[in-house]
Amino acid sequence: MDHHTPQRSHRVLAICVSLAGYAAVTVLLVADTLVAWDLEIENLVSEKLPDEIIGLGRAGAYLGQGGPLTVLALFIAIIQAWRHKTIKPMILWGGAFLLLYLIVGVPKIYLRRGAPADLQVDAVELFSKPFCGGAACMSYPSGHAANSIVWYGLGALLLGTLLHSHAYFLVRVLVASIVAVATVISGFHWATDTLAGVLAGAAIYLLLRQLDNYLSGYQLPLDPRRLWPIRRLRDSGA
């Protein structure tokens, strides 16, 4: 029996649970079930937290900015591809980019939710904003939360043994947790935006782990002249 089978099964289950949770939060928001909870948390943050804490939250939220993280992860992927003479890091980076667009980016465009700073009375509701193509109408789900899980997680995965176990924890868990909390206390996102972003990001990261394991069974040389035909390692005698 393949000793990796139980681990794969647990990962697949975790992916399904994360995606189901993401879908459930979305359905509950469409039904306006969680809107009151979002408003209560936002009022609590704005009325009870001192300005200094809110300022720190705004600074922390920038750790989840998608543009810089995407470029940083691409840089790591290129370096690791060159070091190990394989295109696998680039495939993983491309997979992360595509999954983030499909699972987070597309819903942002079509669900059209305003941010807490929006003065429109019903901005907290989904479909409350017209299509705008910018942050003003794309609060749900939180890209900050999803980006922090996916890109920091992918960076740690690509660096592998170059990271000490404590650094691995710091990159994968602590930074993502800081971003998740910061997006709410800064007023950048509603609480359910962040919850959905965390669930979506977790699902994407776990899918990348699955892809990483799958690709490990194939020869994927960096030299395009040797890339075809792609053969499984066990078939090549490796």
Side-chain angles (χ1 to χ4, degrees), residues 177-198:
S177 300
I178 290 172
V179 172
V181 174
T183 56
V184 177
I185 67 175
S186 65
F188 284 3
H189 283 285
W190 304 101
T192 51
D193 294 344
T194 298
L195 175 59
V198 167

Side-chain angles (χ1 to χ4, degrees), residues 27 147 194 205 230:
V27 169
N147 284 326
T194 298
Y205 173 73
I230 296 173

Side-chain angles (χ1 to χ4, degrees), residues 57-108:
R58 288 175 181 153
Y62 284 111
L63 292 172
Q65 284 287 89
L69 290 180
T70 303
V71 174
L72 177 61
L74 177 60
F75 177 75
I76 294 172
I78 291 172
I79 295 298
Q80 292 299 86
W82 181 259
R83 286 183 69 239
H84 299 286
K85 304 300 184 232
T86 174
I87 63 168
K88 184 173 128 178
M90 301 304 300
I91 294 175
L92 290 173
W93 180 89
F97 188 89
L98 179 61
L99 288 170
L100 274 168
Y101 177 74
L102 293 176
I103 297 176
V104 176
V106 172
K108 271 180 167 290

Side-chain angles (χ1 to χ4, degrees), residues 1 8 11 45 51 58 75 95 100 125 146 184 194 234:
M1 180 179 176
R8 289 195 190 111
R11 190 176 294 138
V45 167
D51 292 341
R58 288 175 181 153
F75 177 75
L100 274 168
E125 299 174 6
V184 177
T194 298
R234 62 169 176 265

Side-chain angles (χ1 to χ4, degrees), residues 13-14 44 49 80 85-86 106 112 136 182 188 212 219 224-225:
L13 177 61
L44 184 66
L49 291 184
Q80 292 299 86
K85 304 300 184 232
T86 174
V106 172
R112 310 192 318 269
F188 284 3
D212 178 54
Q219 290 182 320
R225 294 171 297 178

Side-chain angles (χ1 to χ4, degrees), residues 88 210-220 232-233:
K88 184 173 128 178
Q210 286 290 94
L211 178 60
D212 178 54
N213 287 344
Y214 178 76
L215 293 177
S216 296
Y218 288 87
Q219 290 182 320
L220 296 166
R232 288 194 67 81
L233 291 176

Side-chain angles (χ1 to χ4, degrees), residues 7-20:
Q7 185 178 13
R8 289 195 190 111
S9 299
H10 294 157
R11 190 176 294 138
V12 170
L13 177 61
I15 292 169
C16 292
V17 170
S18 298
L19 290 175

Side-chain angles (χ1 to χ4, degrees), residues 60-169:
Y62 284 111
L63 292 172
Q65 284 287 89
L69 290 180
T70 303
V71 174
L72 177 61
L74 177 60
F75 177 75
I76 294 172
I78 291 172
I79 295 298
Q80 292 299 86
W82 181 259
R83 286 183 69 239
H84 299 286
K85 304 300 184 232
T86 174
I87 63 168
K88 184 173 128 178
M90 301 304 300
I91 294 175
L92 290 173
W93 180 89
F97 188 89
L98 179 61
L99 288 170
L100 274 168
Y101 177 74
L102 293 176
I103 297 176
V104 176
V106 172
K108 271 180 167 290
I109 295 170
Y110 287 98
L111 293 176
R112 310 192 318 269
R113 192 185 203 188
D118 196 314
L119 298 179
Q120 183 176 316
V121 176
D122 61 348
V124 67
E125 299 174 6
L126 299 186
F127 310 109
S128 61
K129 309 295 291 184
F131 287 104
C132 70
C137 64
M138 298 196 300
S139 186
Y140 181 89
S142 169
H144 290 80
N147 284 326
S148 65
I149 293 174
V150 174
W151 291 124
Y152 286 112
L154 178 61
L157 180 64
L158 292 176
L159 291 172
T161 55
L162 293 176
L163 282 181
H164 188 275
S165 58
H166 296 304
Y168 192 76
F169 172 83

